[in-house]
PDB file of all heavy atoms in Angstrom:
ATOM      1  N   SER A  27     -12.489  -0.726   7.561  1.00  0.00           N
ATOM      2  CA  SER A  27     -11.334  -0.813   8.260  1.00  0.00           C
ATOM      3  C   SER A  27     -10.508  -2.120   7.796  1.00  0.00           C
ATOM      4  O   SER A  27      -9.238  -1.959   7.677  1.00  0.00           O
ATOM      5  CB  SER A  27     -11.620  -1.042   9.821  1.00  0.00           C
ATOM      6  OG  SER A  27     -10.497  -1.211  10.512  1.00  0.00           O
ATOM      7  N   ALA A  28     -11.137  -3.152   7.579  1.00  0.00           N
ATOM      8  CA  ALA A  28     -10.410  -4.381   7.145  1.00  0.00           C
ATOM      9  C   ALA A  28      -9.814  -4.201   5.737  1.00  0.00           C
ATOM     10  O   ALA A  28      -8.675  -4.626   5.453  1.00  0.00           O
ATOM     11  CB  ALA A  28     -11.289  -5.567   7.050  1.00  0.00           C
ATOM     12  N   ILE A  29     -10.566  -3.448   4.793  1.00  0.00           N
ATOM     13  CA  ILE A  29     -10.019  -3.266   3.390  1.00  0.00           C
ATOM     14  C   ILE A  29      -8.696  -2.339   3.541  1.00  0.00           C
ATOM     15  O   ILE A  29      -7.775  -2.630   2.885  1.00  0.00           O
ATOM     16  CB  ILE A  29     -11.093  -2.641   2.512  1.00  0.00           C
ATOM     17  CG1 ILE A  29     -12.217  -3.563   2.165  1.00  0.00           C
ATOM     18  CG2 ILE A  29     -10.484  -1.932   1.341  1.00  0.00           C
ATOM     19  CD1 ILE A  29     -13.344  -2.977   1.544  1.00  0.00           C
ATOM     20  N   MET A  30      -8.739  -1.299   4.286  1.00  0.00           N
ATOM     21  CA  MET A  30      -7.605  -0.358   4.456  1.00  0.00           C
ATOM     22  C   MET A  30      -6.435  -1.182   5.091  1.00  0.00           C
ATOM     23  O   MET A  30      -5.318  -1.044   4.674  1.00  0.00           O
ATOM     24  CB  MET A  30      -7.992   0.738   5.349  1.00  0.00           C
ATOM     25  CG  MET A  30      -9.088   1.723   4.773  1.00  0.00           C
ATOM     26  SD  MET A  30      -8.563   2.283   3.046  1.00  0.00           S
ATOM     27  CE  MET A  30      -7.081   3.176   3.323  1.00  0.00           C
ATOM     28  N   HIS A  31      -6.737  -2.174   6.069  1.00  0.00           N
ATOM     29  CA  HIS A  31      -5.587  -2.930   6.632  1.00  0.00           C
ATOM     30  C   HIS A  31      -5.099  -3.789   5.466  1.00  0.00           C
ATOM     31  O   HIS A  31      -3.770  -4.051   5.496  1.00  0.00           O
ATOM     32  CB  HIS A  31      -6.142  -3.745   7.695  1.00  0.00           C
ATOM     33  CG  HIS A  31      -5.198  -4.671   8.357  1.00  0.00           C
ATOM     34  ND1 HIS A  31      -4.161  -4.282   9.153  1.00  0.00           N
ATOM     35  CD2 HIS A  31      -5.153  -6.071   8.176  1.00  0.00           C
ATOM     36  CE1 HIS A  31      -3.486  -5.417   9.408  1.00  0.00           C
ATOM     37  NE2 HIS A  31      -4.028  -6.442   8.966  1.00  0.00           N
ATOM     38  N   LEU A  32      -5.901  -4.488   4.739  1.00  0.00           N
ATOM     39  CA  LEU A  32      -5.445  -5.407   3.709  1.00  0.00           C
ATOM     40  C   LEU A  32      -4.539  -4.715   2.537  1.00  0.00           C
ATOM     41  O   LEU A  32      -3.660  -5.240   2.139  1.00  0.00           O
ATOM     42  CB  LEU A  32      -6.603  -6.100   2.998  1.00  0.00           C
ATOM     43  CG  LEU A  32      -7.370  -7.270   4.003  1.00  0.00           C
ATOM     44  CD1 LEU A  32      -8.530  -7.695   3.307  1.00  0.00           C
ATOM     45  CD2 LEU A  32      -6.433  -8.316   4.290  1.00  0.00           C
ATOM     46  N   VAL A  33      -5.076  -3.516   2.055  1.00  0.00           N
ATOM     47  CA  VAL A  33      -4.359  -2.714   1.195  1.00  0.00           C
ATOM     48  C   VAL A  33      -2.971  -2.444   1.648  1.00  0.00           C
ATOM     49  O   VAL A  33      -1.952  -2.581   0.992  1.00  0.00           O
ATOM     50  CB  VAL A  33      -5.133  -1.549   0.834  1.00  0.00           C
ATOM     51  CG1 VAL A  33      -4.293  -0.542  -0.048  1.00  0.00           C
ATOM     52  CG2 VAL A  33      -6.437  -1.850   0.046  1.00  0.00           C
ATOM     53  N   LYS A  34      -2.853  -1.898   2.910  1.00  0.00           N
ATOM     54  CA  LYS A  34      -1.542  -1.514   3.520  1.00  0.00           C
ATOM     55  C   LYS A  34      -0.747  -2.753   3.675  1.00  0.00           C
ATOM     56  O   LYS A  34       0.566  -2.693   3.339  1.00  0.00           O
ATOM     57  CB  LYS A  34      -1.838  -0.962   4.900  1.00  0.00           C
ATOM     58  CG  LYS A  34      -0.515  -0.455   5.598  1.00  0.00           C
ATOM     59  CD  LYS A  34      -0.842   0.191   6.882  1.00  0.00           C
ATOM     60  CE  LYS A  34       0.416   0.621   7.633  1.00  0.00           C
ATOM     61  NZ  LYS A  34       0.102   1.321   8.906  1.00  0.00           N
ATOM     62  N   LYS A  35      -1.235  -3.936   4.033  1.00  0.00           N
ATOM     63  CA  LYS A  35      -0.377  -5.085   4.283  1.00  0.00           C
ATOM     64  C   LYS A  35       0.026  -5.554   2.908  1.00  0.00           C
ATOM     65  O   LYS A  35       1.274  -6.041   2.735  1.00  0.00           O
ATOM     66  CB  LYS A  35      -1.263  -6.203   4.869  1.00  0.00           C
ATOM     67  CG  LYS A  35      -0.537  -7.481   5.305  1.00  0.00           C
ATOM     68  CD  LYS A  35      -1.363  -8.421   5.993  1.00  0.00           C
ATOM     69  CE  LYS A  35      -0.637  -9.629   6.541  1.00  0.00           C
ATOM     70  NZ  LYS A  35       0.182 -10.370   5.472  1.00  0.00           N
ATOM     71  N   ALA A  36      -0.780  -5.620   1.879  1.00  0.00           N
ATOM     72  CA  ALA A  36      -0.384  -6.073   0.529  1.00  0.00           C
ATOM     73  C   ALA A  36       0.850  -5.197  -0.019  1.00  0.00           C
ATOM     74  O   ALA A  36       1.646  -5.710  -0.583  1.00  0.00           O
ATOM     75  CB  ALA A  36      -1.589  -5.930  -0.401  1.00  0.00           C
ATOM     76  N   ILE A  37       0.786  -3.813   0.215  1.00  0.00           N
ATOM     77  CA  ILE A  37       1.829  -2.998  -0.252  1.00  0.00           C
ATOM     78  C   ILE A  37       3.070  -3.315   0.493  1.00  0.00           C
ATOM     79  O   ILE A  37       4.275  -3.510  -0.074  1.00  0.00           O
ATOM     80  CB  ILE A  37       1.430  -1.495   0.001  1.00  0.00           C
ATOM     81  CG1 ILE A  37       0.346  -1.124  -0.941  1.00  0.00           C
ATOM     82  CG2 ILE A  37       2.738  -0.626  -0.268  1.00  0.00           C
ATOM     83  CD1 ILE A  37      -0.319   0.180  -0.787  1.00  0.00           C
ATOM     84  N   LEU A  38       3.050  -3.477   1.923  1.00  0.00           N
ATOM     85  CA  LEU A  38       4.257  -3.595   2.645  1.00  0.00           C
ATOM     86  C   LEU A  38       4.805  -5.107   2.471  1.00  0.00           C
ATOM     87  O   LEU A  38       6.115  -5.269   2.526  1.00  0.00           O
ATOM     88  CB  LEU A  38       3.884  -3.562   4.120  1.00  0.00           C
ATOM     89  CG  LEU A  38       3.509  -2.111   4.569  1.00  0.00           C
ATOM     90  CD1 LEU A  38       3.136  -2.152   6.065  1.00  0.00           C
ATOM     91  CD2 LEU A  38       4.663  -1.105   4.361  1.00  0.00           C
ATOM     92  N   ASP A  39       3.932  -6.090   2.000  1.00  0.00           N
ATOM     93  CA  ASP A  39       4.429  -7.436   1.869  1.00  0.00           C
ATOM     94  C   ASP A  39       4.889  -7.840   0.483  1.00  0.00           C
ATOM     95  O   ASP A  39       5.347  -8.867   0.163  1.00  0.00           O
ATOM     96  CB  ASP A  39       3.306  -8.444   2.292  1.00  0.00           C
ATOM     97  CG  ASP A  39       3.080  -8.297   3.672  1.00  0.00           C
ATOM     98  OD1 ASP A  39       3.921  -7.759   4.516  1.00  0.00           O
ATOM     99  OD2 ASP A  39       2.110  -9.025   4.207  1.00  0.00           O
ATOM    100  N   SER A  40       4.847  -6.759  -0.435  1.00  0.00           N
ATOM    101  CA  SER A  40       5.032  -7.109  -1.854  1.00  0.00           C
ATOM    102  C   SER A  40       6.450  -6.589  -2.433  1.00  0.00           C
ATOM    103  O   SER A  40       6.589  -6.461  -3.528  1.00  0.00           O
ATOM    104  CB  SER A  40       4.058  -6.460  -2.796  1.00  0.00           C
ATOM    105  OG  SER A  40       3.967  -5.068  -2.561  1.00  0.00           O
ATOM    106  N   GLY A  41       7.305  -6.350  -1.535  1.00  0.00           N
ATOM    107  CA  GLY A  41       8.694  -6.016  -1.925  1.00  0.00           C
ATOM    108  C   GLY A  41       8.869  -4.605  -2.275  1.00  0.00           C
ATOM    109  O   GLY A  41       8.084  -3.735  -2.207  1.00  0.00           O
ATOM    110  N   LEU A  42       9.983  -4.320  -2.990  1.00  0.00           N
ATOM    111  CA  LEU A  42      10.331  -2.999  -3.368  1.00  0.00           C
ATOM    112  C   LEU A  42       9.385  -2.426  -4.414  1.00  0.00           C
ATOM    113  O   LEU A  42       8.977  -1.268  -4.308  1.00  0.00           O
ATOM    114  CB  LEU A  42      11.803  -3.028  -3.992  1.00  0.00           C
ATOM    115  CG  LEU A  42      12.288  -1.662  -4.448  1.00  0.00           C
ATOM    116  CD1 LEU A  42      12.296  -0.639  -3.296  1.00  0.00           C
ATOM    117  CD2 LEU A  42      13.686  -1.770  -5.109  1.00  0.00           C
ATOM    118  N   LYS A  43       8.988  -3.274  -5.437  1.00  0.00           N
ATOM    119  CA  LYS A  43       8.046  -2.714  -6.360  1.00  0.00           C
ATOM    120  C   LYS A  43       6.693  -2.342  -5.879  1.00  0.00           C
ATOM    121  O   LYS A  43       6.144  -1.408  -6.295  1.00  0.00           O
ATOM    122  CB  LYS A  43       7.867  -3.798  -7.496  1.00  0.00           C
ATOM    123  CG  LYS A  43       9.097  -4.012  -8.437  1.00  0.00           C
ATOM    124  CD  LYS A  43       8.758  -5.016  -9.529  1.00  0.00           C
ATOM    125  CE  LYS A  43       9.956  -5.297 -10.440  1.00  0.00           C
ATOM    126  NZ  LYS A  43       9.655  -6.273 -11.476  1.00  0.00           N
ATOM    127  N   GLY A  44       6.292  -3.145  -4.861  1.00  0.00           N
ATOM    128  CA  GLY A  44       4.961  -2.884  -4.276  1.00  0.00           C
ATOM    129  C   GLY A  44       5.092  -1.497  -3.451  1.00  0.00           C
ATOM    130  O   GLY A  44       4.168  -0.751  -3.463  1.00  0.00           O
ATOM    131  N   LYS A  45       6.149  -1.453  -2.783  1.00  0.00           N
ATOM    132  CA  LYS A  45       6.301  -0.082  -1.998  1.00  0.00           C
ATOM    133  C   LYS A  45       6.470   1.041  -2.865  1.00  0.00           C
ATOM    134  O   LYS A  45       5.835   2.154  -2.566  1.00  0.00           O
ATOM    135  CB  LYS A  45       7.604  -0.230  -1.142  1.00  0.00           C
ATOM    136  CG  LYS A  45       7.589  -1.326   0.053  1.00  0.00           C
ATOM    137  CD  LYS A  45       8.767  -1.271   0.881  1.00  0.00           C
ATOM    138  CE  LYS A  45       8.554  -2.200   2.090  1.00  0.00           C
ATOM    139  NZ  LYS A  45       8.455  -3.544   1.640  1.00  0.00           N
ATOM    140  N   ILE A  46       7.063   0.948  -3.984  1.00  0.00           N
ATOM    141  CA  ILE A  46       7.106   2.090  -4.974  1.00  0.00           C
ATOM    142  C   ILE A  46       5.755   2.386  -5.499  1.00  0.00           C
ATOM    143  O   ILE A  46       5.324   3.504  -5.644  1.00  0.00           O
ATOM    144  CB  ILE A  46       8.099   1.703  -6.238  1.00  0.00           C
ATOM    145  CG1 ILE A  46       9.512   1.747  -5.665  1.00  0.00           C
ATOM    146  CG2 ILE A  46       8.005   2.805  -7.299  1.00  0.00           C
ATOM    147  CD1 ILE A  46      10.603   1.247  -6.624  1.00  0.00           C
ATOM    148  N   GLY A  47       4.967   1.297  -5.829  1.00  0.00           N
ATOM    149  CA  GLY A  47       3.641   1.396  -6.321  1.00  0.00           C
ATOM    150  C   GLY A  47       2.700   2.087  -5.151  1.00  0.00           C
ATOM    151  O   GLY A  47       1.890   2.910  -5.528  1.00  0.00           O
ATOM    152  N   GLY A  48       3.068   1.706  -3.989  1.00  0.00           N
ATOM    153  CA  GLY A  48       2.253   2.320  -2.916  1.00  0.00           C
ATOM    154  C   GLY A  48       2.557   3.820  -2.787  1.00  0.00           C
ATOM    155  O   GLY A  48       1.567   4.629  -2.534  1.00  0.00           O
ATOM    156  N   LEU A  49       3.702   4.250  -2.951  1.00  0.00           N
ATOM    157  CA  LEU A  49       4.154   5.685  -2.875  1.00  0.00           C
ATOM    158  C   LEU A  49       3.495   6.471  -4.032  1.00  0.00           C
ATOM    159  O   LEU A  49       2.850   7.522  -3.815  1.00  0.00           O
ATOM    160  CB  LEU A  49       5.555   5.753  -3.093  1.00  0.00           C
ATOM    161  CG  LEU A  49       6.354   5.485  -1.828  1.00  0.00           C
ATOM    162  CD1 LEU A  49       7.940   5.497  -2.036  1.00  0.00           C
ATOM    163  CD2 LEU A  49       6.132   6.398  -0.703  1.00  0.00           C
ATOM    164  N   LEU A  50       3.386   5.795  -5.185  1.00  0.00           N
ATOM    165  CA  LEU A  50       2.626   6.451  -6.379  1.00  0.00           C
ATOM    166  C   LEU A  50       1.170   6.560  -6.108  1.00  0.00           C
ATOM    167  O   LEU A  50       0.549   7.482  -6.597  1.00  0.00           O
ATOM    168  CB  LEU A  50       2.952   5.612  -7.579  1.00  0.00           C
ATOM    169  CG  LEU A  50       4.472   5.569  -8.166  1.00  0.00           C
ATOM    170  CD1 LEU A  50       4.477   4.627  -9.324  1.00  0.00           C
ATOM    171  CD2 LEU A  50       4.886   6.972  -8.596  1.00  0.00           C
ATOM    172  N   LEU A  51       0.663   5.509  -5.338  1.00  0.00           N
ATOM    173  CA  LEU A  51      -0.754   5.676  -5.149  1.00  0.00           C
ATOM    174  C   LEU A  51      -1.275   6.201  -3.777  1.00  0.00           C
ATOM    175  O   LEU A  51      -2.349   6.334  -3.446  1.00  0.00           O
ATOM    176  CB  LEU A  51      -1.219   4.216  -5.103  1.00  0.00           C
ATOM    177  CG  LEU A  51      -1.368   3.371  -6.434  1.00  0.00           C
ATOM    178  CD1 LEU A  51      -1.756   1.888  -6.170  1.00  0.00           C
ATOM    179  CD2 LEU A  51      -2.377   4.056  -7.321  1.00  0.00           C
ATOM    180  N   LYS A  52      -0.172   6.796  -3.205  1.00  0.00           N
ATOM    181  CA  LYS A  52      -0.434   7.420  -1.808  1.00  0.00           C
ATOM    182  C   LYS A  52      -1.552   8.397  -1.709  1.00  0.00           C
ATOM    183  O   LYS A  52      -2.437   8.284  -0.770  1.00  0.00           O
ATOM    184  CB  LYS A  52       0.906   7.999  -1.408  1.00  0.00           C
ATOM    185  CG  LYS A  52       0.797   8.411   0.214  1.00  0.00           C
ATOM    186  CD  LYS A  52       2.159   9.053   0.668  1.00  0.00           C
ATOM    187  CE  LYS A  52       2.056   9.500   2.124  1.00  0.00           C
ATOM    188  NZ  LYS A  52       3.293   9.941   2.615  1.00  0.00           N
ATOM    189  N   SER A  53      -1.589   9.282  -2.646  1.00  0.00           N
ATOM    190  CA  SER A  53      -2.520  10.363  -2.540  1.00  0.00           C
ATOM    191  C   SER A  53      -3.990   9.820  -2.866  1.00  0.00           C
ATOM    192  O   SER A  53      -5.084  10.195  -2.229  1.00  0.00           O
ATOM    193  CB  SER A  53      -2.363  11.409  -3.625  1.00  0.00           C
ATOM    194  OG  SER A  53      -2.279  10.963  -4.963  1.00  0.00           O
ATOM    195  N   SER A  54      -4.063   8.741  -3.815  1.00  0.00           N
ATOM    196  CA  SER A  54      -5.204   8.094  -4.112  1.00  0.00           C
ATOM    197  C   SER A  54      -5.727   7.248  -2.847  1.00  0.00           C
ATOM    198  O   SER A  54      -6.962   7.259  -2.645  1.00  0.00           O
ATOM    199  CB  SER A  54      -5.213   7.112  -5.334  1.00  0.00           C
ATOM    200  OG  SER A  54      -4.796   7.864  -6.522  1.00  0.00           O
ATOM    201  N   LEU A  55      -4.897   6.573  -2.305  1.00  0.00           N
ATOM    202  CA  LEU A  55      -5.336   5.853  -1.017  1.00  0.00           C
ATOM    203  C   LEU A  55      -5.726   6.682   0.087  1.00  0.00           C
ATOM    204  O   LEU A  55      -6.677   6.393   0.791  1.00  0.00           O
ATOM    205  CB  LEU A  55      -4.107   4.858  -0.674  1.00  0.00           C
ATOM    206  CG  LEU A  55      -3.790   3.755  -1.634  1.00  0.00           C
ATOM    207  CD1 LEU A  55      -2.499   3.124  -1.195  1.00  0.00           C
ATOM    208  CD2 LEU A  55      -4.880   2.786  -1.831  1.00  0.00           C
ATOM    209  N   LYS A  56      -5.064   7.796   0.238  1.00  0.00           N
ATOM    210  CA  LYS A  56      -5.389   8.807   1.227  1.00  0.00           C
ATOM    211  C   LYS A  56      -6.849   9.328   0.992  1.00  0.00           C
ATOM    212  O   LYS A  56      -7.659   9.463   1.942  1.00  0.00           O
ATOM    213  CB  LYS A  56      -4.569  10.014   1.283  1.00  0.00           C
ATOM    214  CG  LYS A  56      -4.833  11.057   2.448  1.00  0.00           C
ATOM    215  CD  LYS A  56      -3.930  12.098   2.399  1.00  0.00           C
ATOM    216  CE  LYS A  56      -4.121  13.077   3.431  1.00  0.00           C
ATOM    217  NZ  LYS A  56      -3.242  14.279   3.460  1.00  0.00           N
TER     218      LYS A  56
END
């Protein structure tokens, strides 16, 4: 649970590039 929370927080706190990267990794994270 903590790892999933930290990954989500890292994506949201890393600006536009991080959010784009998060979208690209969405299926893998799911």
